[in-house]
Amino acid sequence: MELKLIDEQGKPLEGIACRIELEGGGGRASSVVTKKDGSFVKAGLQVGNYVVTCEKDGFRPLPIAAPVTAFEQIDLGANTMY
């Protein structure tokens, strides 16, 4: 899974904490933090429907639906936080 977070001006958001969990709360949640370019990559997820929730003070929480399938890399693209 690959994701990039940007602000309203299109600038990358570094240091954003993102929680990755199976939809419905089953399984163990993972946490990642965005890099300088606003991105993160998370490998090794089981097949399923995930919710990625990214949070930072001063911004609204950003939940993103992320279906993960076998043998496929998922690029969630650039997402804007407000």
Short mmCIF file of all heavy atoms in Angstrom, two decimals, residues 6-81:
data_model
loop_
_atom_site.label_atom_id
_atom_site.label_comp_id
_atom_site.label_asym_id
_atom_site.label_seq_id
_atom_site.Cartn_x
_atom_site.Cartn_y
_atom_site.Cartn_z
N ILE A 6 -0.93 15.53 1.27
CA ILE A 6 -0.57 16.90 0.94
C ILE A 6 -1.53 17.85 1.63
O ILE A 6 -2.62 17.46 2.05
CB ILE A 6 -0.60 17.14 -0.59
CG1 ILE A 6 -1.97 16.78 -1.17
CG2 ILE A 6 0.50 16.34 -1.28
CD1 ILE A 6 -2.13 17.10 -2.65
N ASP A 7 -1.12 19.14 1.74
CA ASP A 7 -2.02 20.15 2.29
C ASP A 7 -2.78 20.82 1.14
O ASP A 7 -2.65 20.43 -0.02
CB ASP A 7 -1.28 21.15 3.17
CG ASP A 7 -0.28 22.02 2.41
OD1 ASP A 7 -0.31 22.06 1.16
OD2 ASP A 7 0.54 22.68 3.08
N GLU A 8 -3.58 21.82 1.47
CA GLU A 8 -4.42 22.48 0.46
C GLU A 8 -3.61 23.16 -0.65
O GLU A 8 -4.11 23.36 -1.74
CB GLU A 8 -5.32 23.52 1.13
CG GLU A 8 -6.38 22.89 2.00
CD GLU A 8 -7.20 23.93 2.72
OE1 GLU A 8 -6.66 24.56 3.66
OE2 GLU A 8 -8.35 24.11 2.32
N GLN A 9 -2.36 23.50 -0.37
CA GLN A 9 -1.50 24.13 -1.37
C GLN A 9 -0.70 23.10 -2.17
O GLN A 9 0.13 23.46 -3.00
CB GLN A 9 -0.53 25.12 -0.71
CG GLN A 9 -1.19 26.39 -0.20
CD GLN A 9 -1.95 26.17 1.10
OE1 GLN A 9 -1.49 25.46 1.99
NE2 GLN A 9 -3.12 26.76 1.21
N GLY A 10 -0.90 21.82 -1.88
CA GLY A 10 -0.20 20.77 -2.60
C GLY A 10 1.17 20.43 -2.03
O GLY A 10 1.92 19.68 -2.62
N LYS A 11 1.49 20.96 -0.85
CA LYS A 11 2.77 20.69 -0.22
C LYS A 11 2.69 19.39 0.58
O LYS A 11 1.69 19.12 1.24
CB LYS A 11 3.17 21.83 0.71
CG LYS A 11 3.41 23.13 -0.02
CD LYS A 11 3.77 24.24 0.93
CE LYS A 11 3.93 25.55 0.17
NZ LYS A 11 4.10 26.68 1.07
N PRO A 12 3.75 18.57 0.53
CA PRO A 12 3.74 17.30 1.26
C PRO A 12 3.67 17.51 2.76
O PRO A 12 4.21 18.48 3.29
CB PRO A 12 5.05 16.63 0.85
CG PRO A 12 5.89 17.69 0.26
CD PRO A 12 5.00 18.79 -0.19
N LEU A 13 2.99 16.59 3.44
CA LEU A 13 2.84 16.65 4.89
C LEU A 13 3.69 15.55 5.53
O LEU A 13 3.37 14.37 5.44
CB LEU A 13 1.37 16.48 5.29
CG LEU A 13 0.46 17.63 4.88
CD1 LEU A 13 -1.00 17.27 5.09
CD2 LEU A 13 0.81 18.89 5.65
N GLU A 14 4.77 15.96 6.16
CA GLU A 14 5.69 15.03 6.83
C GLU A 14 5.25 14.80 8.28
O GLU A 14 4.69 15.68 8.92
CB GLU A 14 7.09 15.64 6.84
CG GLU A 14 8.12 14.83 7.56
CD GLU A 14 9.48 15.49 7.61
OE1 GLU A 14 9.61 16.67 7.24
OE2 GLU A 14 10.43 14.81 8.03
N GLY A 15 5.49 13.60 8.79
CA GLY A 15 5.25 13.31 10.20
C GLY A 15 3.80 13.06 10.56
O GLY A 15 3.43 13.17 11.72
N ILE A 16 2.97 12.73 9.59
CA ILE A 16 1.56 12.44 9.85
C ILE A 16 1.45 10.99 10.30
O ILE A 16 1.92 10.07 9.63
CB ILE A 16 0.69 12.64 8.59
CG1 ILE A 16 0.85 14.05 8.02
CG2 ILE A 16 -0.77 12.30 8.87
CD1 ILE A 16 0.21 15.13 8.81
N ALA A 17 0.80 10.76 11.44
CA ALA A 17 0.57 9.41 11.95
C ALA A 17 -0.65 8.82 11.26
O ALA A 17 -1.72 9.43 11.24
CB ALA A 17 0.36 9.45 13.46
N CYS A 18 -0.48 7.63 10.71
CA CYS A 18 -1.57 6.93 10.03
C CYS A 18 -1.75 5.55 10.62
O CYS A 18 -0.78 4.81 10.80
CB CYS A 18 -1.28 6.82 8.53
SG CYS A 18 -1.16 8.40 7.69
N ARG A 19 -2.98 5.21 10.92
CA ARG A 19 -3.32 3.90 11.47
C ARG A 19 -3.99 3.08 10.37
O ARG A 19 -4.91 3.57 9.71
CB ARG A 19 -4.24 4.08 12.67
CG ARG A 19 -4.64 2.83 13.37
CD ARG A 19 -5.46 3.21 14.61
NE ARG A 19 -6.03 2.05 15.24
CZ ARG A 19 -5.43 1.33 16.15
NH1 ARG A 19 -4.21 1.65 16.55
NH2 ARG A 19 -6.02 0.27 16.68
N ILE A 20 -3.54 1.85 10.18
CA ILE A 20 -4.08 0.96 9.15
C ILE A 20 -4.74 -0.21 9.85
O ILE A 20 -4.09 -0.94 10.60
CB ILE A 20 -2.94 0.45 8.23
CG1 ILE A 20 -2.19 1.61 7.62
CG2 ILE A 20 -3.51 -0.48 7.16
CD1 ILE A 20 -0.89 1.22 6.94
N GLU A 21 -6.06 -0.39 9.63
CA GLU A 21 -6.75 -1.49 10.27
C GLU A 21 -7.80 -2.08 9.35
O GLU A 21 -8.33 -1.40 8.48
CB GLU A 21 -7.36 -1.07 11.60
CG GLU A 21 -8.30 0.09 11.53
CD GLU A 21 -8.67 0.62 12.91
OE1 GLU A 21 -8.70 -0.15 13.89
OE2 GLU A 21 -8.92 1.83 13.02
N LEU A 22 -8.07 -3.36 9.56
CA LEU A 22 -9.11 -4.01 8.77
C LEU A 22 -10.45 -3.35 9.05
O LEU A 22 -10.74 -2.99 10.20
CB LEU A 22 -9.19 -5.50 9.11
CG LEU A 22 -8.20 -6.40 8.42
CD1 LEU A 22 -8.20 -7.79 9.05
CD2 LEU A 22 -8.53 -6.50 6.94
N GLU A 23 -11.25 -3.20 8.02
CA GLU A 23 -12.59 -2.64 8.18
C GLU A 23 -13.36 -3.51 9.15
O GLU A 23 -13.31 -4.73 9.07
CB GLU A 23 -13.26 -2.62 6.81
CG GLU A 23 -14.50 -1.78 6.73
CD GLU A 23 -14.99 -1.70 5.30
OE1 GLU A 23 -15.50 -2.72 4.81
OE2 GLU A 23 -14.82 -0.64 4.69
N GLY A 24 -14.03 -2.91 10.08
CA GLY A 24 -14.78 -3.67 11.08
C GLY A 24 -13.96 -4.00 12.31
O GLY A 24 -14.45 -4.62 13.24
N GLY A 25 -12.67 -3.64 12.30
CA GLY A 25 -11.85 -3.79 13.48
C GLY A 25 -11.21 -5.15 13.70
O GLY A 25 -10.57 -5.37 14.71
N GLY A 26 -11.37 -6.09 12.78
CA GLY A 26 -10.74 -7.40 12.96
C GLY A 26 -9.25 -7.34 12.72
O GLY A 26 -8.76 -6.50 11.98
N GLY A 27 -8.51 -8.20 13.37
CA GLY A 27 -7.07 -8.25 13.15
C GLY A 27 -6.31 -7.19 13.93
O GLY A 27 -6.87 -6.44 14.72
N ARG A 28 -5.03 -7.14 13.67
CA ARG A 28 -4.13 -6.23 14.38
C ARG A 28 -3.88 -4.97 13.55
O ARG A 28 -3.54 -5.06 12.37
CB ARG A 28 -2.82 -6.95 14.63
CG ARG A 28 -1.88 -6.23 15.51
CD ARG A 28 -0.69 -7.09 15.78
NE ARG A 28 0.18 -6.44 16.72
CZ ARG A 28 1.37 -6.87 17.01
NH1 ARG A 28 1.84 -7.94 16.44
NH2 ARG A 28 2.10 -6.23 17.88
N ALA A 29 -4.01 -3.82 14.16
CA ALA A 29 -3.79 -2.55 13.47
C ALA A 29 -2.29 -2.28 13.34
O ALA A 29 -1.49 -2.73 14.15
CB ALA A 29 -4.46 -1.41 14.21
N SER A 30 -1.91 -1.56 12.28
CA SER A 30 -0.54 -1.13 12.06
C SER A 30 -0.50 0.39 12.08
O SER A 30 -1.49 1.05 11.80
CB SER A 30 -0.04 -1.58 10.68
OG SER A 30 -0.04 -2.96 10.58
N SER A 31 0.66 0.94 12.40
CA SER A 31 0.85 2.39 12.37
C SER A 31 2.06 2.73 11.53
O SER A 31 3.05 2.00 11.54
CB SER A 31 1.06 2.93 13.78
OG SER A 31 -0.10 2.74 14.55
N VAL A 32 1.96 3.82 10.79
CA VAL A 32 3.07 4.34 10.00
C VAL A 32 3.09 5.85 10.13
O VAL A 32 2.10 6.46 10.54
CB VAL A 32 2.96 3.95 8.50
CG1 VAL A 32 3.06 2.45 8.32
CG2 VAL A 32 1.67 4.46 7.90
N VAL A 33 4.21 6.47 9.78
CA VAL A 33 4.35 7.93 9.80
C VAL A 33 4.87 8.36 8.43
O VAL A 33 5.77 7.73 7.88
CB VAL A 33 5.32 8.38 10.91
CG1 VAL A 33 5.54 9.88 10.88
CG2 VAL A 33 4.79 7.96 12.27
N THR A 34 4.28 9.43 7.88
CA THR A 34 4.69 9.88 6.56
C THR A 34 6.11 10.44 6.58
O THR A 34 6.54 11.06 7.55
CB THR A 34 3.73 10.95 5.99
OG1 THR A 34 3.65 12.05 6.89
CG2 THR A 34 2.34 10.36 5.77
N LYS A 35 6.82 10.23 5.47
CA LYS A 35 8.19 10.72 5.30
C LYS A 35 8.18 12.18 4.84
O LYS A 35 7.12 12.79 4.69
CB LYS A 35 8.91 9.85 4.25
CG LYS A 35 9.01 8.38 4.66
CD LYS A 35 9.73 7.57 3.63
CE LYS A 35 8.80 7.28 2.47
NZ LYS A 35 9.36 6.40 1.47
N LYS A 36 9.36 12.72 4.60
CA LYS A 36 9.52 14.13 4.21
C LYS A 36 8.69 14.49 2.99
O LYS A 36 8.16 15.60 2.89
CB LYS A 36 11.00 14.41 3.95
CG LYS A 36 11.31 15.86 3.73
CD LYS A 36 12.80 16.11 3.63
CE LYS A 36 13.06 17.60 3.53
NZ LYS A 36 14.49 17.91 3.61
N ASP A 37 8.54 13.56 2.05
CA ASP A 37 7.76 13.84 0.84
C ASP A 37 6.27 13.59 1.02
O ASP A 37 5.49 13.64 0.09
CB ASP A 37 8.29 13.03 -0.34
CG ASP A 37 8.06 11.53 -0.20
OD1 ASP A 37 7.61 11.07 0.87
OD2 ASP A 37 8.35 10.81 -1.17
N GLY A 38 5.85 13.31 2.27
CA GLY A 38 4.43 13.11 2.59
C GLY A 38 3.92 11.71 2.31
O GLY A 38 2.74 11.44 2.44
N SER A 39 4.82 10.79 1.99
CA SER A 39 4.37 9.45 1.61
C SER A 39 4.73 8.40 2.64
O SER A 39 5.57 8.62 3.52
CB SER A 39 5.00 9.04 0.28
OG SER A 39 6.38 8.79 0.44
N PHE A 40 4.07 7.26 2.54
CA PHE A 40 4.48 6.06 3.25
C PHE A 40 4.17 4.87 2.36
O PHE A 40 3.32 4.92 1.48
CB PHE A 40 3.81 5.92 4.63
CG PHE A 40 2.36 5.49 4.59
CD1 PHE A 40 2.00 4.17 4.35
CD2 PHE A 40 1.36 6.41 4.82
CE1 PHE A 40 0.66 3.78 4.34
CE2 PHE A 40 0.02 6.04 4.82
CZ PHE A 40 -0.32 4.72 4.57
N VAL A 41 4.88 3.79 2.60
CA VAL A 41 4.64 2.52 1.94
C VAL A 41 4.52 1.47 3.03
O VAL A 41 5.34 1.42 3.95
CB VAL A 41 5.79 2.14 0.98
CG1 VAL A 41 5.56 0.75 0.40
CG2 VAL A 41 5.92 3.17 -0.14
N LYS A 42 3.48 0.65 2.98
CA LYS A 42 3.28 -0.42 3.95
C LYS A 42 3.12 -1.72 3.18
O LYS A 42 2.22 -1.87 2.36
CB LYS A 42 2.04 -0.14 4.80
CG LYS A 42 1.72 -1.20 5.80
CD LYS A 42 2.77 -1.31 6.86
CE LYS A 42 2.40 -2.36 7.88
NZ LYS A 42 3.50 -2.72 8.73
N ALA A 43 4.01 -2.66 3.43
CA ALA A 43 3.96 -3.96 2.77
C ALA A 43 3.51 -5.03 3.76
O ALA A 43 3.48 -4.81 4.97
CB ALA A 43 5.34 -4.30 2.22
N GLY A 44 3.16 -6.20 3.23
CA GLY A 44 2.86 -7.35 4.07
C GLY A 44 1.46 -7.38 4.65
O GLY A 44 1.22 -8.11 5.61
N LEU A 45 0.54 -6.63 4.09
CA LEU A 45 -0.84 -6.65 4.58
C LEU A 45 -1.58 -7.86 4.01
O LEU A 45 -1.38 -8.24 2.86
CB LEU A 45 -1.58 -5.37 4.18
CG LEU A 45 -1.06 -4.09 4.79
CD1 LEU A 45 -1.74 -2.89 4.14
CD2 LEU A 45 -1.27 -4.07 6.29
N GLN A 46 -2.44 -8.44 4.82
CA GLN A 46 -3.29 -9.54 4.35
C GLN A 46 -4.36 -8.98 3.43
O GLN A 46 -4.70 -7.80 3.48
CB GLN A 46 -3.95 -10.24 5.53
CG GLN A 46 -2.98 -10.91 6.46
CD GLN A 46 -3.70 -11.55 7.63
OE1 GLN A 46 -4.91 -11.42 7.80
NE2 GLN A 46 -2.96 -12.25 8.47
N VAL A 47 -4.93 -9.85 2.62
CA VAL A 47 -6.03 -9.47 1.74
C VAL A 47 -7.21 -9.04 2.60
O VAL A 47 -7.52 -9.67 3.61
CB VAL A 47 -6.43 -10.65 0.82
CG1 VAL A 47 -7.69 -10.35 0.05
CG2 VAL A 47 -5.28 -10.98 -0.12
N GLY A 48 -7.87 -7.95 2.21
CA GLY A 48 -9.04 -7.47 2.93
C GLY A 48 -9.29 -6.00 2.67
O GLY A 48 -8.55 -5.34 1.95
N ASN A 49 -10.36 -5.51 3.24
CA ASN A 49 -10.71 -4.09 3.13
C ASN A 49 -10.20 -3.37 4.37
O ASN A 49 -10.57 -3.71 5.50
CB ASN A 49 -12.21 -3.91 2.99
CG ASN A 49 -12.72 -4.42 1.68
OD1 ASN A 49 -12.10 -4.20 0.64
ND2 ASN A 49 -13.83 -5.14 1.68
N TYR A 50 -9.36 -2.38 4.14
CA TYR A 50 -8.74 -1.64 5.23
C TYR A 50 -9.25 -0.21 5.27
O TYR A 50 -9.73 0.33 4.28
CB TYR A 50 -7.22 -1.59 5.05
CG TYR A 50 -6.55 -2.92 5.32
CD1 TYR A 50 -6.54 -3.91 4.35
CD2 TYR A 50 -5.95 -3.18 6.54
CE1 TYR A 50 -5.94 -5.14 4.59
CE2 TYR A 50 -5.35 -4.40 6.80
CZ TYR A 50 -5.34 -5.37 5.82
OH TYR A 50 -4.75 -6.59 6.06
N VAL A 51 -9.10 0.39 6.44
CA VAL A 51 -9.34 1.82 6.62
C VAL A 51 -8.02 2.41 7.12
O VAL A 51 -7.45 1.93 8.11
CB VAL A 51 -10.46 2.11 7.62
CG1 VAL A 51 -10.60 3.61 7.85
CG2 VAL A 51 -11.78 1.53 7.13
N VAL A 52 -7.53 3.41 6.40
CA VAL A 52 -6.32 4.13 6.80
C VAL A 52 -6.80 5.47 7.36
O VAL A 52 -7.46 6.23 6.67
CB VAL A 52 -5.38 4.36 5.60
CG1 VAL A 52 -4.14 5.11 6.04
CG2 VAL A 52 -5.03 3.05 4.92
N THR A 53 -6.49 5.73 8.63
CA THR A 53 -6.90 6.99 9.26
C THR A 53 -5.65 7.78 9.61
O THR A 53 -4.81 7.31 10.38
CB THR A 53 -7.73 6.73 10.52
OG1 THR A 53 -8.84 5.89 10.18
CG2 THR A 53 -8.25 8.04 11.10
N CYS A 54 -5.53 8.95 9.00
CA CYS A 54 -4.36 9.81 9.20
C CYS A 54 -4.78 11.01 10.04
O CYS A 54 -5.82 11.62 9.77
CB CYS A 54 -3.81 10.27 7.86
SG CYS A 54 -3.32 8.87 6.80
N GLU A 55 -3.96 11.34 11.05
CA GLU A 55 -4.31 12.43 11.96
C GLU A 55 -3.10 13.30 12.28
O GLU A 55 -1.98 12.80 12.40
CB GLU A 55 -4.86 11.87 13.27
CG GLU A 55 -6.15 11.07 13.09
CD GLU A 55 -6.74 10.64 14.40
OE1 GLU A 55 -7.31 11.51 15.08
OE2 GLU A 55 -6.62 9.45 14.74
N LYS A 56 -3.36 14.60 12.41
CA LYS A 56 -2.34 15.56 12.83
C LYS A 56 -3.05 16.77 13.44
O LYS A 56 -4.10 17.18 12.94
CB LYS A 56 -1.47 16.00 11.65
CG LYS A 56 -0.34 16.96 12.04
CD LYS A 56 0.55 17.24 10.86
CE LYS A 56 1.61 18.25 11.19
NZ LYS A 56 2.75 17.72 11.89
N ASP A 57 -2.47 17.32 14.50
CA ASP A 57 -3.05 18.51 15.12
C ASP A 57 -3.21 19.61 14.08
O ASP A 57 -2.33 19.83 13.25
CB ASP A 57 -2.15 19.02 16.26
CG ASP A 57 -2.18 18.10 17.47
OD1 ASP A 57 -3.11 17.28 17.59
OD2 ASP A 57 -1.25 18.20 18.29
N GLY A 58 -4.35 20.28 14.11
CA GLY A 58 -4.62 21.36 13.18
C GLY A 58 -5.29 20.91 11.89
O GLY A 58 -5.66 21.74 11.06
N PHE A 59 -5.45 19.59 11.70
CA PHE A 59 -6.10 19.04 10.51
C PHE A 59 -7.23 18.11 10.94
O PHE A 59 -7.17 17.50 12.01
CB PHE A 59 -5.11 18.22 9.66
CG PHE A 59 -4.04 19.04 9.01
CD1 PHE A 59 -2.85 19.30 9.67
CD2 PHE A 59 -4.20 19.54 7.73
CE1 PHE A 59 -1.84 20.05 9.08
CE2 PHE A 59 -3.21 20.29 7.13
CZ PHE A 59 -2.02 20.54 7.80
N ARG A 60 -8.25 18.00 10.11
CA ARG A 60 -9.31 17.03 10.37
C ARG A 60 -8.76 15.63 10.11
O ARG A 60 -7.99 15.44 9.17
CB ARG A 60 -10.51 17.27 9.45
CG ARG A 60 -11.25 18.55 9.74
CD ARG A 60 -12.48 18.65 8.88
NE ARG A 60 -12.09 18.51 7.47
CZ ARG A 60 -12.71 19.05 6.46
NH1 ARG A 60 -13.79 19.74 6.66
NH2 ARG A 60 -12.30 18.88 5.22
N PRO A 61 -9.18 14.63 10.91
CA PRO A 61 -8.77 13.25 10.62
C PRO A 61 -9.22 12.88 9.21
O PRO A 61 -10.28 13.29 8.75
CB PRO A 61 -9.52 12.42 11.66
CG PRO A 61 -9.80 13.38 12.77
CD PRO A 61 -10.01 14.71 12.10
N LEU A 62 -8.37 12.13 8.51
CA LEU A 62 -8.66 11.74 7.13
C LEU A 62 -8.73 10.22 7.03
O LEU A 62 -7.70 9.55 7.01
CB LEU A 62 -7.56 12.27 6.21
CG LEU A 62 -7.69 11.93 4.72
CD1 LEU A 62 -8.93 12.58 4.12
CD2 LEU A 62 -6.46 12.38 3.97
N PRO A 63 -9.97 9.66 7.01
CA PRO A 63 -10.10 8.21 6.79
C PRO A 63 -10.14 7.91 5.30
O PRO A 63 -10.78 8.61 4.52
CB PRO A 63 -11.42 7.87 7.47
CG PRO A 63 -12.22 9.13 7.40
CD PRO A 63 -11.24 10.28 7.36
N ILE A 64 -9.42 6.87 4.89
CA ILE A 64 -9.33 6.48 3.48
C ILE A 64 -9.62 4.98 3.38
O ILE A 64 -8.98 4.19 4.07
CB ILE A 64 -7.93 6.78 2.91
CG1 ILE A 64 -7.60 8.26 3.06
CG2 ILE A 64 -7.83 6.34 1.45
CD1 ILE A 64 -6.13 8.57 2.90
N ALA A 65 -10.56 4.59 2.51
CA ALA A 65 -10.84 3.18 2.26
C ALA A 65 -9.76 2.61 1.37
O ALA A 65 -9.34 3.25 0.40
CB ALA A 65 -12.20 3.02 1.60
N ALA A 66 -9.28 1.40 1.71
CA ALA A 66 -8.17 0.81 0.96
C ALA A 66 -8.37 -0.70 0.81
O ALA A 66 -8.02 -1.46 1.71
CB ALA A 66 -6.86 1.09 1.67
N PRO A 67 -8.95 -1.14 -0.32
CA PRO A 67 -9.09 -2.57 -0.54
C PRO A 67 -7.75 -3.19 -0.95
O PRO A 67 -7.09 -2.70 -1.86
CB PRO A 67 -10.11 -2.66 -1.67
CG PRO A 67 -9.98 -1.36 -2.39
CD PRO A 67 -9.54 -0.35 -1.38
N VAL A 68 -7.32 -4.22 -0.25
CA VAL A 68 -6.06 -4.89 -0.54
C VAL A 68 -6.35 -6.26 -1.14
O VAL A 68 -7.10 -7.04 -0.56
CB VAL A 68 -5.20 -5.04 0.74
CG1 VAL A 68 -3.96 -5.87 0.49
CG2 VAL A 68 -4.84 -3.67 1.28
N THR A 69 -5.78 -6.52 -2.32
CA THR A 69 -5.96 -7.81 -2.98
C THR A 69 -4.61 -8.52 -3.09
O THR A 69 -3.56 -7.92 -2.90
CB THR A 69 -6.56 -7.63 -4.39
OG1 THR A 69 -5.71 -6.77 -5.15
CG2 THR A 69 -7.94 -7.01 -4.33
N ALA A 70 -4.66 -9.79 -3.41
CA ALA A 70 -3.44 -10.59 -3.50
C ALA A 70 -2.60 -10.18 -4.71
O ALA A 70 -3.14 -9.89 -5.78
CB ALA A 70 -3.80 -12.07 -3.59
N PHE A 71 -1.29 -10.15 -4.53
CA PHE A 71 -0.32 -9.94 -5.61
C PHE A 71 -0.50 -8.63 -6.35
O PHE A 71 -0.24 -8.54 -7.54
CB PHE A 71 -0.36 -11.11 -6.60
CG PHE A 71 -0.26 -12.44 -5.93
CD1 PHE A 71 -1.33 -13.31 -5.92
CD2 PHE A 71 0.90 -12.83 -5.29
CE1 PHE A 71 -1.24 -14.54 -5.30
CE2 PHE A 71 1.00 -14.06 -4.66
CZ PHE A 71 -0.08 -14.92 -4.67
N GLU A 72 -0.95 -7.60 -5.66
CA GLU A 72 -1.16 -6.31 -6.31
C GLU A 72 -0.73 -5.19 -5.37
O GLU A 72 -1.07 -5.19 -4.19
CB GLU A 72 -2.65 -6.14 -6.64
CG GLU A 72 -2.97 -4.87 -7.38
CD GLU A 72 -4.46 -4.76 -7.72
OE1 GLU A 72 -5.18 -5.75 -7.64
OE2 GLU A 72 -4.87 -3.65 -8.05
N GLN A 73 0.04 -4.25 -5.89
CA GLN A 73 0.42 -3.08 -5.10
C GLN A 73 -0.67 -2.04 -5.24
O GLN A 73 -1.10 -1.72 -6.34
CB GLN A 73 1.75 -2.50 -5.57
CG GLN A 73 2.16 -1.31 -4.75
CD GLN A 73 3.55 -0.82 -5.09
OE1 GLN A 73 4.40 -1.60 -5.50
NE2 GLN A 73 3.78 0.46 -4.95
N ILE A 74 -1.09 -1.48 -4.13
CA ILE A 74 -2.16 -0.49 -4.15
C ILE A 74 -1.57 0.89 -3.94
O ILE A 74 -0.88 1.14 -2.95
CB ILE A 74 -3.18 -0.79 -3.05
CG1 ILE A 74 -3.82 -2.12 -3.38
CG2 ILE A 74 -4.19 0.32 -2.92
CD1 ILE A 74 -4.95 -2.51 -2.56
N ASP A 75 -1.82 1.78 -4.88
CA ASP A 75 -1.38 3.17 -4.78
C ASP A 75 -2.62 4.01 -4.53
O ASP A 75 -3.47 4.14 -5.40
CB ASP A 75 -0.68 3.60 -6.07
CG ASP A 75 -0.11 5.01 -6.00
OD1 ASP A 75 -0.41 5.73 -5.02
OD2 ASP A 75 0.61 5.38 -6.92
N LEU A 76 -2.71 4.57 -3.33
CA LEU A 76 -3.87 5.38 -2.96
C LEU A 76 -3.74 6.82 -3.42
O LEU A 76 -4.61 7.64 -3.17
CB LEU A 76 -4.10 5.31 -1.45
CG LEU A 76 -4.38 3.90 -0.91
CD1 LEU A 76 -4.40 3.92 0.61
CD2 LEU A 76 -5.66 3.36 -1.48
N GLY A 77 -2.64 7.13 -4.10
CA GLY A 77 -2.46 8.46 -4.68
C GLY A 77 -2.24 9.54 -3.64
O GLY A 77 -1.95 9.27 -2.48
N ALA A 78 -2.39 10.78 -4.07
CA ALA A 78 -2.22 11.94 -3.19
C ALA A 78 -3.58 12.29 -2.58
O ALA A 78 -4.58 12.40 -3.30
CB ALA A 78 -1.66 13.12 -3.95
N ASN A 79 -3.63 12.46 -1.29
CA ASN A 79 -4.85 12.81 -0.57
C ASN A 79 -4.60 14.10 0.19
O ASN A 79 -3.59 14.25 0.87
CB ASN A 79 -5.22 11.70 0.39
CG ASN A 79 -5.71 10.47 -0.33
OD1 ASN A 79 -6.89 10.27 -0.48
ND2 ASN A 79 -4.80 9.63 -0.81
N THR A 80 -5.55 15.02 0.12
CA THR A 80 -5.41 16.32 0.76
C THR A 80 -6.00 16.32 2.15
O THR A 80 -7.12 15.88 2.35
CB THR A 80 -6.11 17.41 -0.09
OG1 THR A 80 -5.60 17.36 -1.41
CG2 THR A 80 -5.89 18.79 0.51
N MET A 81 -5.23 16.81 3.12
CA MET A 81 -5.72 17.00 4.48
C MET A 81 -6.06 18.47 4.65
O MET A 81 -5.35 19.34 4.20
CB MET A 81 -4.68 16.57 5.50
CG MET A 81 -4.45 15.08 5.53
SD MET A 81 -3.43 14.55 6.93
CE MET A 81 -4.62 14.64 8.27
#
